[in-house]
């Protein structure tokens, strides 16, 4: 099947391959020229972004023929990502590589195939990625197994992929630097399954097997370099580390904790383990940021957020203004009970700009929605209409997070949300920075003076009406 995809790709993109004729010439020792291009059908947006360590270093506009091309006068060998947002994938460049990619953005990962100088190692990464995805989809039943049967199952899967890895490594003869990522894509998926097993087994069967695990079950941890800067942004490693920290931080005897308190304690445990495990400051900051962002995305409690952030700041040395966690922490501090809601810019159905500090005329509930989450959109409006009937002293304001004014207005017509005041956010980044919005389920309650009663609640919380 994969060879068929390659044959089709070469036929469809033969006219673009001429761009890479120069890759056959001999390069001087100090020449690091490289090329990246290809074809994107059904693009999500008109640009390909080329990034390293989450920083955009170049971009290319997709032309009317769905093609793009970037020439790098000097490109340092290593691992990069390319994005047609919101999707992304990895591409590895050795010196003077000239790589083409073909993508159907509607089926991003499944459609990717590379050709040109440097294609074989990148096709290996994609094949290993798809093998791991397929393996992940079949994994859940295995979590029900006994320790012995689970180990046998995942060891068999690992052996099969190890054979594939060994064969490709011998055939392609890739560099030691690339092998770091190739081996990581093999090993860390396997390790992640072992980290997930105790918790997943408990959730699915009710059996706590943590004390019955063999003494050597996690021996591989001893051989992992947690301070490797090259792996700290590589998805297989980050995913493994996430599951490992989840596993190590789990509080097993927690019946006397509320869910919110349990989440707080567990995530502070993660910060503590990350601090003791990782000594490289750059790596530690990335991992701490991952933990913090994930926790703040889920928690909706002002007090807990502050306690968590106090611990985060104790360990993190990333104090830059670019740090998303610093921005979120600053925003959270502005959302204390009694404060005025920070000002953001909104737009009404008549395309008139509205300042948020002019919308709270009386006691107010502000909720968020997007057409991309239709089930939440419908459920939120249904819940709000029910609350409006019970609480006529409140005004209810919906803020849409989508970009297109006409589509939003058409959706409002479909919703027929009579009695709900509707606005659209003009700049989500501004909303995120000022209101600490990271998830659509956030709901904000204001008092009769427009002051904050609770900026971190959820419309669908069983106790939500107590906020009113």
């Amino acid at each position: 099947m994969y060879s068929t995809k390659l044959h089709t790709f070469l036929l469809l993109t033969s006219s673009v391959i001429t761009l890479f004729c120069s890759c056959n010439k001999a390069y001087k020792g100090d020449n690091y020229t490289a090329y990246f291009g290809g074809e994107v059908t059904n693009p999500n947006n008109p640009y390909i972004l080329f990034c390293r360590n989450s920083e955009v270093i170049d971009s290319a506009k997709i032309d009317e023929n769905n093609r793009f091309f970037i020439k790098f006068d000097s490109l340092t060998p290593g691992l990069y990502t390319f994005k047609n947002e919101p999707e992304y994938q990895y591409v590895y460049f050795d010196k003077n590589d000239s790589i083409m990619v073909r993508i159907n953005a509607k089926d991003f990962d499944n459609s990717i195939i590379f050709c040109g100088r440097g294609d074989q190692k990148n096709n290996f990464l994609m094949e290993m990625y798809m093998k791991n995805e397929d393996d992940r989809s079949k994994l859940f039943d295995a979590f029900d197994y006994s320790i012995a049967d689970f180990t046998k199952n995942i060891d068999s899967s690992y052996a099969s992929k190890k054979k594939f890895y060994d064969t490709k490594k011998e055939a392609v003869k890739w560099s030691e630097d690339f092998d770091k990522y190739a081996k990581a894509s093999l090993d860390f998926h396997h390790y992640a399954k072992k980290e997930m097993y105790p918790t997943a087994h408990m959730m699915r069967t009710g059996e706590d097997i943590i004390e019955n695990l063999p003494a050597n079950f996690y021996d591989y941890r001893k051989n992992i370099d947690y301070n490797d800067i090259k792996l700290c942004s590589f998805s297989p490693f980050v995913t493994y580390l996430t599951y490992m920290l989840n596993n190590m931080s789990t509080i097993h005897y927690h019946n006397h904790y509320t869910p919110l308190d349990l989440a707080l304690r567990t995530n502070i445990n993660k910060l503590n383990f990350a601090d003791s495990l990782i000594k490289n400051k750059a790596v530690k900051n990335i991992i701490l940021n991952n933990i913090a962002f994930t926790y703040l995305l889920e928690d909706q409690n002002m007090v807990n957020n502050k306690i968590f952030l106090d611990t985060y700041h104790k360990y993190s040395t990333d104090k830059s203004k670019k740090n998303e966690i610093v921005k979120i922490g600053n925003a959270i501090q502005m959302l204390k009970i009694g404060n005025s809601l920070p000002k953001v810019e909104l737009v009404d159905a008549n395309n008139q700009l509205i300042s948020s500090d002019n919308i709270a005329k009386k006691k107010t509930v502000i909720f968020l929605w997007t057409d991309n989450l239709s089930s939440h959109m419908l459920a939120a409006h249904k819940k709000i209409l029910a609350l409006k009937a019970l609480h006529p002293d409140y005004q209810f304001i919906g803020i849409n997070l989508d970009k297109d004014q006409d589509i939003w207005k058409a959706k409002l017509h479909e919703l027929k949300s009579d009695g709900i005041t509707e606005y659209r956010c003009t700049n989500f980044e501004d909303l995120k920075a000022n209101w600490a919005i990271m998830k659509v389920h956030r709901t904000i309650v204001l008092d009769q003076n427009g002051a904050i009663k609770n900026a971190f609640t959820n419309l669908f919380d069983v106790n939500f009406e107590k906020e009113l």
Side-chain angles (χ1 to χ4, degrees), residues 205 267 279 331 385 400:
T205 69
N267 280 278
K279 301 307 176 187
L385 288 173
N400 177 263

Side-chain angles (χ1 to χ4, degrees), residues 188 191-192 195 224-227 231-232 234-249 270 273-274 277-278 283-284 286-288 290-291:
F188 287 113
Y191 300 157
E195 300 291 349
I224 295 173
D225 180 3
Y226 295 101
N227 296 288
L231 290 179
C232 67
F234 189 45
S235 180
F237 176 73
V238 173
T239 300
Y240 159 73
L241 200 54
T242 299
Y243 286 125
M244 188 270 287
L245 290 172
N246 285 345
N247 190 11
M248 294 178 68
S249 305
K270 290 181 192 178
F273 279 120
L277 196 65
I278 304 167
V283 177
K284 182 186 293 188
I286 290 171
I287 300 306
L288 291 175
N290 287 340
I291 296 168

Side-chain angles (χ1 to χ4, degrees), residues 135 139 150 154 157 189-197:
D135 186 43
L139 183 62
F150 174 78
I154 66 169
S157 173
H189 175 74
H190 179 65
Y191 300 157
K193 290 190 283 188
K194 301 190 77 166
E195 300 291 349
M196 284 188 277
Y197 175 62

Side-chain angles (χ1 to χ4, degrees), residues 213-266:
L213 292 173
N216 64 349
F217 194 72
Y218 295 120
D219 272 2
Y220 57 83
R221 289 177 181 172
K222 301 172 185 176
N223 300 316
I224 295 173
D225 180 3
Y226 295 101
N227 296 288
D228 192 332
I229 191 69
K230 289 186 175 181
L231 290 179
C232 67
S233 296
F234 189 45
S235 180
F237 176 73
V238 173
T239 300
Y240 159 73
L241 200 54
T242 299
Y243 286 125
M244 188 270 287
L245 290 172
N246 285 345
N247 190 11
M248 294 178 68
S249 305
T250 297
I251 299 171
H252 292 279
Y253 306 102
H254 54 255
N255 291 338
H256 56 293
Y257 295 133
T258 67
L260 282 176
D261 286 341
L262 181 62
L264 174 64
R265 289 171 179 269
T266 300

Side-chain angles (χ1 to χ4, degrees), residues 30-305:
D30 59 350
N31 188 329
Y32 283 84
T33 301
Y35 302 89
F36 184 52
E39 181 178 352
V40 186
T41 56
N42 304 304
N44 294 312
N45 67 63
Y47 288 92
I48 289 290
L49 303 180
F50 191 80
C51 312
R52 190 166 200 185
N53 298 327
S54 300
E55 294 289 330
V56 177
I57 62 173
D58 211 332
S59 64
K61 195 171 192 316
I62 300 170
D63 67 20
E64 64 276 9
N65 296 313
N66 290 331
R67 291 169 182 163
F68 72 95
F69 179 71
I70 307 172
K71 177 185 176 182
F72 302 100
D73 292 329
S74 181
L75 186 69
T76 303
L79 190 71
Y80 295 83
T81 55
F82 60 94
K83 300 180 180 180
N84 187 233
E85 292 184 317
E87 303 286 357
Y88 81 94
Q89 258 304 343
Y90 295 102
V91 59
Y92 186 93
F93 276 81
D94 277 315
K95 183 182 177 184
N96 302 138
D97 275 351
S98 297
I99 297 172
M100 269 194 73
V101 61
R102 186 170 187 268
I103 311 161
N104 182 342
K106 285 188 175 180
D107 192 18
F108 196 87
D109 294 327
N110 282 300
S111 68
I112 289 175
I113 189 165
F114 298 93
C115 77
R117 182 194 291 266
D119 63 339
Q120 292 187 72
K121 55 183 178 289
N122 284 294
N123 283 326
F124 166 82
L125 281 183
M126 281 309 306
E127 287 186 83
M128 183 62 81
Y129 173 82
M130 296 311 300
K131 286 177 183 291
N132 288 340
E133 287 297 293
D134 181 61
D135 186 43
R136 188 175 287 112
S137 69
K138 299 173 182 176
L139 183 62
F140 292 99
D141 288 343
F143 288 135
D144 294 351
Y145 298 169
S146 67
I147 297 169
D149 287 343
F150 174 78
T151 301
K152 181 179 179 181
N153 177 279
I154 66 169
D155 284 353
S156 174
S157 173
Y158 179 82
S160 173
K161 284 183 283 187
K162 177 68 162 56
K163 183 177 180 181
F164 169 68
Y165 159 82
D166 288 337
T167 300
K168 289 292 185 180
K169 182 180 180 181
E170 175 62 26
V172 179
K173 301 189 185 307
W174 53 56
S175 67
E176 287 188 18
D177 187 70
F178 175 76
D179 192 56
K180 179 184 292 289
Y181 302 104
K183 192 69 161 56
S185 68
L186 169 71
D187 289 344
F188 287 113
H189 175 74
H190 179 65
Y191 300 157
K193 290 190 283 188
K194 301 190 77 166
E195 300 291 349
M196 284 188 277
Y197 175 62
T199 302
H201 185 82
M202 177 71 176
M203 291 174 65
R204 290 177 63 89
T205 69
E207 180 188 15
D208 187 349
I209 47 83
I210 191 73
E211 294 182 0
N212 298 323
L213 292 173
N216 64 349
F217 194 72
Y218 295 120
D219 272 2
Y220 57 83
R221 289 177 181 172
K222 301 172 185 176
N223 300 316
I224 295 173
D225 180 3
Y226 295 101
N227 296 288
D228 192 332
I229 191 69
K230 289 186 175 181
L231 290 179
C232 67
S233 296
F234 189 45
S235 180
F237 176 73
V238 173
T239 300
Y240 159 73
L241 200 54
T242 299
Y243 286 125
M244 188 270 287
L245 290 172
N246 285 345
N247 190 11
M248 294 178 68
S249 305
T250 297
I251 299 171
H252 292 279
Y253 306 102
H254 54 255
N255 291 338
H256 56 293
Y257 295 133
T258 67
L260 282 176
D261 286 341
L262 181 62
L264 174 64
R265 289 171 179 269
T266 300
N267 280 278
I268 285 180
N269 279 352
K270 290 181 192 178
L271 295 177
N272 291 334
F273 279 120
D275 178 64
S276 62
L277 196 65
I278 304 167
K279 301 307 176 187
N280 181 290
K281 288 184 178 180
V283 177
K284 182 186 293 188
N285 285 335
I286 290 171
I287 300 306
L288 291 175
N289 286 350
N290 287 340
I291 296 168
F293 194 82
T294 302
Y295 173 71
L296 294 171
L297 191 65
E298 292 301 322
D299 191 28
Q300 302 293 307
N301 183 284
M302 180 76 182
V303 175
N304 284 3
N305 283 345

Side-chain angles (χ1 to χ4, degrees), residues 331-332 334-335 342-344 429-437:
I332 287 171
M334 298 300 293
L335 297 170
K343 184 168 66 174
V344 298
E429 291 302 315
D430 191 41
L431 194 70
K432 183 171 72 171
N434 286 283
W435 292 5
I437 299 294

Side-chain angles (χ1 to χ4, degrees), residues 437-461:
I437 299 294
M438 291 171 290
K439 60 187 296 185
V440 74
H441 298 87
R442 266 279 294 287
T443 307
I444 298 171
V445 181
L446 307 178
D447 67 16
Q448 65 273 13
N449 299 313
I452 295 170
K453 282 185 69 177
N454 191 341
F456 294 90
T457 186
N458 187 329
L459 183 63
F460 297 102
D461 190 298

